[in-house]
């Protein structure tokens, strides 16, 4: 090291050393500026700047070296060999250019280090090759320690010089970079010179090959000229740049002054902030002094930075001239805002890019609004998509704007089918094609459906349109006008509702058990048929029929069997129908059938078909059941003109059919009407008859046949009607049984008969008729007992007469009641024996006290042998069973003779006495007294 200082102090011309330093400083500064120019230029220009920079640096260093060499005073005349001199120049220029290229191209620290190494090695090479160019009468040897030291000295300061040059901005960093480079060159030079050891020797080179110091000075001057020229270029261009920037700054200031909502500032090409406006200060919080010179990435979030976004944005802006974007940015205080920014490339007067103008605006509010709107839209979408109504929105020109998912599902349409902008007609056609391909025949039906749908949507703000597109597609379509003239239409699938309505309507119009139409449905049907028949001047027949003793089937076999039989009958009736006919079940065992008539034979055939349904027995599990019915027929318009009147008249005819012996079919006759009215009148008046005291009892005597003795009387009721006169019990008792009035009447009769009879001689009985309805009365036994107590009539003197049909209805119960009555000591007589069932079974089942042979047998006895045979059979039956037999209808002495002959015990009839009012007999009256 001492040697180094000694060499510098003693062996150099200090003026030339100073000059070398000056050249070096100027040249390296120039090279730094050129490098920066290369850095800030587009790649195609950058390479040119780079070449100039390399050349400048190379020449500078070379010139520095040789000026210093000229100042080197080894004590001998110096010359320079031309070839090594040239080689050293080329080496310096090439190495610096390569080093710069490496460092600039890749902009990485490692590459910058590599660049510094290349430059350092290059100039070291230049130094030692340059040494070889020295022509001295001495032998030059190198001290390798100094050589290594010189290499290190040259490379080490070059690295920071390189980074400062490429990363820095402004003159200060240029100056620093240039100074460091100079330091490297100077250190290298003097350490390199110090490495030289000279031993005197004869000059071995011919002197004409040696450049003189003068020639060398000229070469150096040339090199220096190049450096100066380069300096000039740099100066001019940087002035240009400055001018451009000055101009844009002026514009920028003008702009910035007017606008404080925007942050407006400029960036260098690599993203360093060049200036700053008030808006920027307001928005980002930094003052101008704090921020100019810093990199724009300070506003980015750490994630943004990690992703390299700041650099990406700059690159994109550089490539396309302009870049607009949005993103979160940070203020100085750490808070964030949503920035909308644009980055525009700014060029100088020559069109060379010099930086970017950046405009940033705070869009946080807008962003929040947008986010809210997006959320709201999403919610609205969800709501729309979860609606059970299909919905579509059309614009004022009736083009599809939006639809919900249900709408697409409803019509089996895909999203592609429902592209916005589709007009309503095409929408309707497409929807129908998707959902009802079978309806899309291209014909009238298709057209009608599409028109219906379009009209429903267009008829906005009206009542819902019910669109029946198909059995499986019934829609309720509602449309509303929107303020902009568009429409919003909703589609509700009401197919199921329609179906259940139809089902309910069906249930309401059909009988639940048999599924036949019910009374209401039949009435509607008749009404329609009558109207049509009226228009066509044709007839309509109504056939009313009810089943004989269906109640008994229910009672005997149980409800389940009854239902089965009813269902089978209904099926048969239904199967018997032809086109245009109807059978309905009106009530329990009442039916009606209707048919518009083309001819009279039509009706006969229809009735025959209905009657045929009863021919075969109905299979119950136990025994085959035979059903019969009586048919009443009324024909419109002769018999009646309304369904009700027609049915009423057919009913009347059916009742007649019951009574008729000839057959079970009867046609309505006008007289039936009157009878029915009378019957209704009776039913109505019966209710008041007891209160009005219109009933009274007649008593008909009963005598012993053999002795002719009076045994008792049968009580027979009479009704003295205010308008109709005396009404026969044969007329009003069935009506009273229907209305239930029989219970009150029966009680009145029993009470009156018992109290009357209580006044008679003790050996006379009183017989009271008991209706089947009375037998079913729950408190009958208690009531009878009470009457006996109240009247004081001994039970043995009371006979209750019942018919067999009253027992058959509910045999077990009837017999149970009868046993209880008999247990009171009351006698039970079987009335009207021989008609109806006349079953021996009933006689065996209960110990009757008397059998009354119906009067029809005795009355026919003179003409009918069979009647006599029956009287004989019953008389002998009574004898065998030990039950006394009474014959009714004894009118003549012959009758009495017959009875005596056949062995009947008692008799009753006009022969013995008519039913009479009290007082009965003179002798009886006396007895009563
Ligand atoms: P029934 O019990 O068979 O009564 C006998 C009927 O035959 C009576 O008719 C009587 O007037 C009539 N008759 C009596 N002897 C002769 C005769 O020699 N020749 C003819 N041709 N007829 C004779 P009536 O009084 O009109 O009663 C008719 C039916 O009314 C009775 O038939 C009975 O079933 C019912 N009935 C009458 N009174 C009552 C009553 O108080 N309660 C109930 N539940 N039914 C009654
Ligand atoms: Ca009787
Ligand atoms: Ca009788």
């Amino acid at each position: 090291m001492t040697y180094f200082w000694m060499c510098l102090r003693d062996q150099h011309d200090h003026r030339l050393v100073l000059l070398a330093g000056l050249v070096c400083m100027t040249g390296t500064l120039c090279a730094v500026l050129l490098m920066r120019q290369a850095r800030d230029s587009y790649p195609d220009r950058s390479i040119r700047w780079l070449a100039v920079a390399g050349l400048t640096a190379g020449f500078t260093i070379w010139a520095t070296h040789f000026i210093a060499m000229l100042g080197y005073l080894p004590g001998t005349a110096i010359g320079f060999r031309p070839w090594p001199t040239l080689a050293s120049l080329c080496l310096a220029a090439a190495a610096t250019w390569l080093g710069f290229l490496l460092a600039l191209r890749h902009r990485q620290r490692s590459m910058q280090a590599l660049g510094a190494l290349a430059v350092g090695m290059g100039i070291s090479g230049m130094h030692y090759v340059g040494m070889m160019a020295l022509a001295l009468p001495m032998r030059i040897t190198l001290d390798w320690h100094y050589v290594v030291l010189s290499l290190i000295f040259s490379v080490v300061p070059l690295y920071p010089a390189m980074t400062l040059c490429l990363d820095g901005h402004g003159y200060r960093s240029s100056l620093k970079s240039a100074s460091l480079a100079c330091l490297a060159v100077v250190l290298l030079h003097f350490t390199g010179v110090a490495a030289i050891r000279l031993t005197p020797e004869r000059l071995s080179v011919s002197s004409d090959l040696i450049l003189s110091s003068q020639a060398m000075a000229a070469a150096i001057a040339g090199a220096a000229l190049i450096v100066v020229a380069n300096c000039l270029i740099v100066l001019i261009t940087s002035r240009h740049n400055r001018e451009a920037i000055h101009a844009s700054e002026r514009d920028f200031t003008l702009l910035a002054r007017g606008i404080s909502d925007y942050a407006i500032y400029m960036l260098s090409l690599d993203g360093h902030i060049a200036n700053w406006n008030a808006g920027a200060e307001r928005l980002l919080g930094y003052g101008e002094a704090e921020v100019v010179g810093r990199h724009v990435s300070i506003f980015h979030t750490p994630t943004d930075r990690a992703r390299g976004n700041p650099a990406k944005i700059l690159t994109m802006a550089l490539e396309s001239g302009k870049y607009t974007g949005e993103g979160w940015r940070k203020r100085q205080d750490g808070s964030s805002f949503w920035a909308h920014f644009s980055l525009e490339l700014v060029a100088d007067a020559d069109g060379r890019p010099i930086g970017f103008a950046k405009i940033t605006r705070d869009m946080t509010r807008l962003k929040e609004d947008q986010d809210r709107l997006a959320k709201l839209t999403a919610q609205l979408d969800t709501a729309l998509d979860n609606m059970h109504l299909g919905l579509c929105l059309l614009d004022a020109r009736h083009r599809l704007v939006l639809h919900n998912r249900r709408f697409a599902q409803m019509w089996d349409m895909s999203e592609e089918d429902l592209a916005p902008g589709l007009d309503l007609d095409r929408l309707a056609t497409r929807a129908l094609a998707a959902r009802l391909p079978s309806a899309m025949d291209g014909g009238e039906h298709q057209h009608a459906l599409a028109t219906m749908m379009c009209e429903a949507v267009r008829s906005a703000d009206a009542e819902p349109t019910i669109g029946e597109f198909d059995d499986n597609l019934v829609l309720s379509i509602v449309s509303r006008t929107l303020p902009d003239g568009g429409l919003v239409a909703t589609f509700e699938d009401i197919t199921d509702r329609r179906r259940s309505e139809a089902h309910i309507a069906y249930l309401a119009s059909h009988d639940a058990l048999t599924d036949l139409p019910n009374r209401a449905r039949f009435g509607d049907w008749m009404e329609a048929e009558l109207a049509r028949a009226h228009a066509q001047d044709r007839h309509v027949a109504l056939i009313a029929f009810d089943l004989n003793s269906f109640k008994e089937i229910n009672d005997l076999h149980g409800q389940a069997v009854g239902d089965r039989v009813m269902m089978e009958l209904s099926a048969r009736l239904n199967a018997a129908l032809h086109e245009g006919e109807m059978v309905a079940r009106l009530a329990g065992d009442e039916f009606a059938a209707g048919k518009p008539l083309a001819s009279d034979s039509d009706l006969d055939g229809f009735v025959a078909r209905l009657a045929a349904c009863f021919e075969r027995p109905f299979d119950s599990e136990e025994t085959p059941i035979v059903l019969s019915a009586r048919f009443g027929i009324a024909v419109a318009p002769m018999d009646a003109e309304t369904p009700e009147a027609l049915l009423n008249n057919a009913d009347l005819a059916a009742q007649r059919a019951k009574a008729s012996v000839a057959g079970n079919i009867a046609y309505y006759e006008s007289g039936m009407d009157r009878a029915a009215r009378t019957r209704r009148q009776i039913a109505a008046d019966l209710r008041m008859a007891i209160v009005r005291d219109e009933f009274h009892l007649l008593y008909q005597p009963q005598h012993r046949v053999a002795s002719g003795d009076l045994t008792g009387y049968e009580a027979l009721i009479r009704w003295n009607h205010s308008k109709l006169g005396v009404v026969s019990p044969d007329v009003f008792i069935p009506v009273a049984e229907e209305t239930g009035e029989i219970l009150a009447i029966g009680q009145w009769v029993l009470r009156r008969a018992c109290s009357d009879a209580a006044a008679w001689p003790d050996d006379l009985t009183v017989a009271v008729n008991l209706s089947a309805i009375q037998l079913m009365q729950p408190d009958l036994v208690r009531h009878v007992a009470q009457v006996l107590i109240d009247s004081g009539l001994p039970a043995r003197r009371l006979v209750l007469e019942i018919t067999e049909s009253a027992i058959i209805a509910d045999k077990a119960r009837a017999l149970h009641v009868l046993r209880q009555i008999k247990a009171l000591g009351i006698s039970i007589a079987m009335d009207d024996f021989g008609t109806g069932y006349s079953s021996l079974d009933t006689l065996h089942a209960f110990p009757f006290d008397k059998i009354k042979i119906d009067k029809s047998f005795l009355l026919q006895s003179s003409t009918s042998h069979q009647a006599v045979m029956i009287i004989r059979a019953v008389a002998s039956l009574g004898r065998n069973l030990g039950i006394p037999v009474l014959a009714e209808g004894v009118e003549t002495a012959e009758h009495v003779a017959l009875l005596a002959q056949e062995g009947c015990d008692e008799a009753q009839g006009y022969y013995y006495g008519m039913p009479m009012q009290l007082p009965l007999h003179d002798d009886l009256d006396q007895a009563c007294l």
Side-chain angles (χ1 to χ4, degrees):
M1 196 44 79
T2 0
Y3 189 80
F4 172 85
W5 288 117
M6 273 165 56
C7 165
L8 181 61
R9 193 191 62 205
D10 304 335
Q11 296 182 340
H12 282 86
D13 177 335
H14 291 147
R15 283 164 307 170
L16 283 178
V17 169
L18 213 65
L19 178 67
L22 207 67
V23 168
C24 185
M25 192 60 206
T26 325
T28 46
L29 186 62
C30 199
V32 166
L33 294 175
L34 285 166
M35 272 295 279
R36 289 203 174 160
Q37 195 71 42
R39 177 192 70 186
D40 295 343
S41 302
Y42 282 132
D44 61 328
R45 293 192 186 171
S46 161
I47 204 83
R48 268 187 267 155
W49 286 115
L50 194 75
V52 178
L55 211 62
T56 306
F59 274 145
T60 301
I61 294 161
W62 180 81
T64 308
H65 173 74
F66 278 91
I67 292 170
M69 274 301 166
L70 285 175
Y72 180 52
L73 303 170
T76 334
I78 296 177
F80 295 90
R81 290 191 185 90
W83 290 116
T85 307
L86 193 65
S88 68
L89 173 64
C90 292
L91 190 63
T96 43
W97 176 80
L98 180 71
F100 288 177
L101 185 69
L102 284 173
L104 187 67
R105 267 296 139 113
H106 300 284
R107 306 292 295 270
Q108 291 163 356
R109 284 290 142 103
S110 57
M111 291 311 279
Q112 289 178 355
L114 202 64
L117 189 68
V119 174
M121 297 312 273
I123 62 175
S124 301
M126 183 245 11
H127 179 86
Y128 290 107
V129 172
M131 284 293 196
M132 297 303 126
L134 273 181
L136 293 174
M138 305 207 185
R139 205 168 66 92
I140 300 173
T141 50
L142 296 173
D143 178 338
W144 287 105
H145 295 100
Y146 278 100
V147 172
V148 171
L149 198 66
S150 72
L151 281 177
I152 294 170
F153 276 172
S154 69
V155 174
V156 170
L158 275 178
Y159 173 66
M162 189 71 89
T163 56
L164 265 172
C165 168
L166 291 177
D167 297 344
H169 291 269
Y171 287 110
R172 207 180 298 170
S173 68
S174 321
L175 223 60
K176 269 191 215 166
S177 171
S179 307
L180 281 165
C182 278
L183 181 66
V185 173
V186 169
L187 282 176
L188 161 69
H189 180 82
F190 292 107
T191 329
V193 169
I196 295 173
R197 297 287 175 273
L198 298 168
T199 20
E201 194 190 53
R202 200 175 54 85
L203 190 62
S204 59
V205 190
S206 61
S207 55
D208 58 310
L209 282 172
I210 294 168
L211 288 173
S212 64
S213 293
Q214 286 78 7
M216 196 59 205
I220 294 168
L225 257 178
I226 293 175
V227 172
V228 170
N230 279 338
C231 280
L232 270 174
I233 294 170
V234 171
L235 281 174
I236 292 163
T237 48
S238 59
R239 223 186 117 169
H240 261 291
N241 285 356
R242 260 203 314 282
E243 273 170 9
I245 288 173
H246 274 311
S248 64
E249 268 180 351
R250 269 199 310 278
D251 295 348
F252 172 77
T253 319
L254 281 172
L255 191 70
R257 206 177 289 152
I259 302 162
S260 61
D261 284 351
Y262 291 84
I264 303 172
Y265 52 95
M266 295 197 70
L267 299 175
S268 65
L269 286 174
D270 64 344
H272 286 85
I273 296 159
N275 51 35
W276 200 238
N277 82 334
E281 187 167 344
R282 223 181 85 180
L283 180 59
L284 289 146
Y286 294 91
E288 187 170 5
E290 294 170 284
V291 85
V292 168
R294 295 180 73 176
H295 197 263
V296 71
S297 62
I298 56 168
F299 308 134
H300 285 255
T301 58
T303 21
D304 253 13
R305 279 202 293 268
R307 287 184 190 144
N309 286 350
K312 280 182 199 160
I313 291 171
L314 290 173
T315 312
M316 285 189 280
L318 191 65
E319 277 168 2
S320 49
K322 177 158 184 168
Y323 180 80
T324 313
E326 294 191 333
W328 288 106
R329 294 289 181 272
K330 289 191 97 64
R331 297 194 182 89
Q332 192 183 27
D333 61 9
S335 60
S336 302
F337 67 97
W338 183 258
H340 176 96
F341 62 87
S342 73
L343 204 60
E344 204 159 341
L345 195 64
V346 176
D348 63 12
D350 296 340
R352 285 171 298 206
I354 52 168
F356 302 102
K358 184 166 186 184
I359 303 178
T360 308
R361 193 178 182 190
D362 180 359
M363 302 296 257
T364 315
R365 286 273 296 281
L366 195 74
K367 165 81 174 158
E368 281 167 4
D369 286 350
Q370 277 173 349
D371 287 352
R372 247 200 308 280
L373 195 69
K375 206 169 132 191
L376 215 69
T377 313
Q379 285 171 346
L380 200 68
D381 278 351
T382 321
L384 279 178
D385 283 341
N386 288 315
M387 276 171 75
H388 87 286
L389 297 178
L391 177 144
C392 70
L393 191 73
L394 304 169
D395 64 15
R397 293 165 66 200
H398 295 180
R399 287 167 194 280
L400 185 63
V401 176
L402 65 81
H403 66 275
N404 69 352
R405 196 183 305 158
R406 181 78 186 99
F407 182 82
Q409 284 169 350
M410 193 173 264
W411 292 105
D412 279 345
M413 290 174 93
S414 67
E415 291 299 316
E416 293 88 76
D417 292 337
L418 288 163
L422 191 67
D423 71 60
L424 179 57
D425 294 296
R426 295 237 311 284
L427 174 66
T429 319
R430 262 191 215 180
L432 289 165
R435 174 69 196 256
L436 307 167
S438 56
M440 299 314 278
D441 50 357
E444 253 172 57
H445 181 54
Q446 168 192 341
H447 184 69
L449 289 182
T451 311
M452 167 168 73
M453 182 164 163
C454 291
E455 271 171 11
V457 173
R458 288 205 179 96
S459 59
D461 309 315
E463 290 289 294
T465 309
I466 306 299
E468 296 189 23
F469 292 94
D470 186 87
D471 283 350
N472 294 315
L473 185 65
V474 183
L475 300 178
S476 166
I477 305 174
V478 178
S479 173
R480 295 268 173 275
T481 330
L482 296 174
D484 67 352
L487 295 171
V488 60
T490 57
F491 297 74
E492 186 181 7
D493 190 337
I494 56 167
T495 317
D496 287 346
R497 201 203 299 163
R498 267 307 174 90
R499 270 196 207 127
S500 51
E501 278 169 8
H503 186 60
I504 289 168
Y506 181 86
L507 290 183
S509 62
H510 287 77
D511 174 55
L513 175 66
T514 61
D515 219 23
L516 288 179
N518 63 10
R519 185 184 289 271
R521 170 91 187 90
F522 184 72
D524 292 345
W525 183 83
M526 273 310 283
E527 190 129 33
E529 289 301 325
L530 287 176
R532 195 174 338 177
H534 181 75
Q536 294 171 354
D537 200 17
R538 278 161 66 164
H539 298 169
V540 180
L542 192 155
I543 301 151
F545 54 104
D546 44 351
L547 310 181
N548 294 326
S549 58
F550 186 73
K551 190 178 176 320
E552 272 88 81
I553 290 172
N554 265 340
D555 290 341
L556 279 173
H557 301 276
Q559 179 92 29
V561 174
D563 284 354
R564 261 210 311 282
V565 170
M566 187 58 84
M567 279 158 74
E568 195 184 330
L569 170 65
S570 299
R572 284 187 198 178
L573 288 169
N574 210 25
L577 293 183
H578 287 177
E579 180 82 28
E581 299 169 351
M582 181 182 268
V583 165
R585 186 181 180 210
L586 306 184
D589 58 357
E590 289 176 44
F591 292 81
K595 181 183 173 67
L597 300 177
S599 68
D600 287 351
S601 59
D602 256 10
L603 177 58
D604 295 343
F606 186 37
V607 177
R609 269 186 279 127
L610 294 176
C613 295
F614 293 86
E615 274 168 11
R616 276 184 297 123
F618 292 83
D619 283 328
S620 101
E621 271 151 24
E622 301 155 27
T623 45
I625 292 169
V626 181
L627 271 187
S628 63
R630 27 188 207 276
F631 297 86
I633 301 165
V635 179
M638 297 81 82
D639 296 340
E641 293 192 36
T642 66
E644 298 79 30
L646 211 54
L647 179 61
N648 186 51
N649 291 347
D651 262 340
L652 292 174
Q655 280 163 26
R656 171 67 69 86
K658 175 190 196 174
S660 100
V661 192
N664 55 359
I665 298 168
Y667 286 82
Y668 171 76
E669 290 155 21
S670 52
M672 290 173 176
D673 230 3
R674 212 175 339 105
R677 260 203 302 281
T678 311
R679 200 176 153 85
R680 274 198 294 278
Q681 168 101 54
I682 287 170
D685 294 345
L686 263 177
R687 271 183 285 132
M688 298 306 293
I690 294 179
V691 183
R692 291 189 187 140
D693 199 21
E694 290 175 346
F695 291 123
H696 64 272
L697 290 181
L698 297 184
Y699 291 97
Q700 186 174 33
Q702 297 174 330
H703 285 259
R704 215 176 294 283
V705 176
S707 60
D709 291 346
L710 177 72
T711 57
Y713 294 91
E714 179 179 3
L716 296 165
I717 192 167
R718 292 295 176 267
W719 181 18
N720 206 3
H721 190 276
S722 55
K723 289 195 198 107
L724 302 173
V726 175
V727 183
S728 157
D730 276 333
V731 173
F732 74 83
I733 291 292
V735 179
E737 282 178 335
E738 271 174 35
T739 63
E741 214 55 46
I742 188 67
L743 296 179
I745 296 170
Q747 285 183 16
W748 179 87
V749 172
L750 187 66
R751 200 164 279 280
R752 171 55 59 91
C754 287
S755 59
D756 284 349
W760 303 340
D762 195 43
D763 58 337
L764 295 182
T765 59
V766 63
V768 175
N769 291 284
L770 215 59
S771 151
I773 308 291
Q774 281 176 280
L775 205 59
M776 293 298 140
Q777 193 183 352
D779 57 351
L780 177 68
V781 181
R782 196 185 51 76
H783 174 69
V784 173
Q786 190 60 47
V787 168
L788 289 181
I789 291 165
D790 293 349
S791 61
L793 184 77
R796 65 181 160 79
R797 290 181 56 201
L798 177 63
V799 181
L800 293 180
E801 295 190 1
I802 53 162
T803 59
E804 194 176 13
S805 60
I807 297 172
I808 292 292
D810 186 349
K811 199 165 176 176
R813 186 163 164 206
L815 295 180
H816 177 67
V817 172
L818 289 181
R819 272 187 210 103
Q820 284 177 287
I821 292 171
K822 199 172 156 71
L824 294 174
I826 298 164
S827 301
I828 309 288
M830 169 159 285
D831 206 353
D832 300 346
F833 193 76
T835 63
Y837 303 91
S838 307
S839 112
L840 285 177
D841 208 35
T842 316
L843 285 182
H844 278 298
F846 186 79
F848 287 95
D849 298 293
K850 196 179 280 183
I851 297 171
K852 292 184 81 175
I853 303 177
D854 190 70
K855 61 179 177 278
S856 57
F857 299 106
L858 210 50
L859 293 178
Q860 291 173 33
S861 60
S862 56
T863 52
S864 164
H865 179 63
Q866 201 177 356
V868 178
M869 293 306 288
I870 289 172
I871 295 168
R872 185 175 298 160
V874 175
S876 94
L877 185 69
R879 264 199 306 283
N880 288 335
L881 290 172
I883 304 171
V885 174
L886 182 149
E888 293 179 325
V890 184
E891 293 187 349
T892 60
E894 287 78 49
H895 288 156
V896 180
L898 178 67
L899 294 178
Q901 188 188 324
E902 298 303 336
C904 272
D905 301 285
E906 287 176 82
Q908 174 183 352
Y910 299 159
Y911 176 79
Y912 290 110
M914 301 285 284
M916 299 169 288
Q917 282 200 330
L918 286 177
L920 298 169
H921 242 276
D922 288 349
D923 54 337
L924 197 68
D925 291 340
Q926 279 161 8
C928 286
L929 291 170

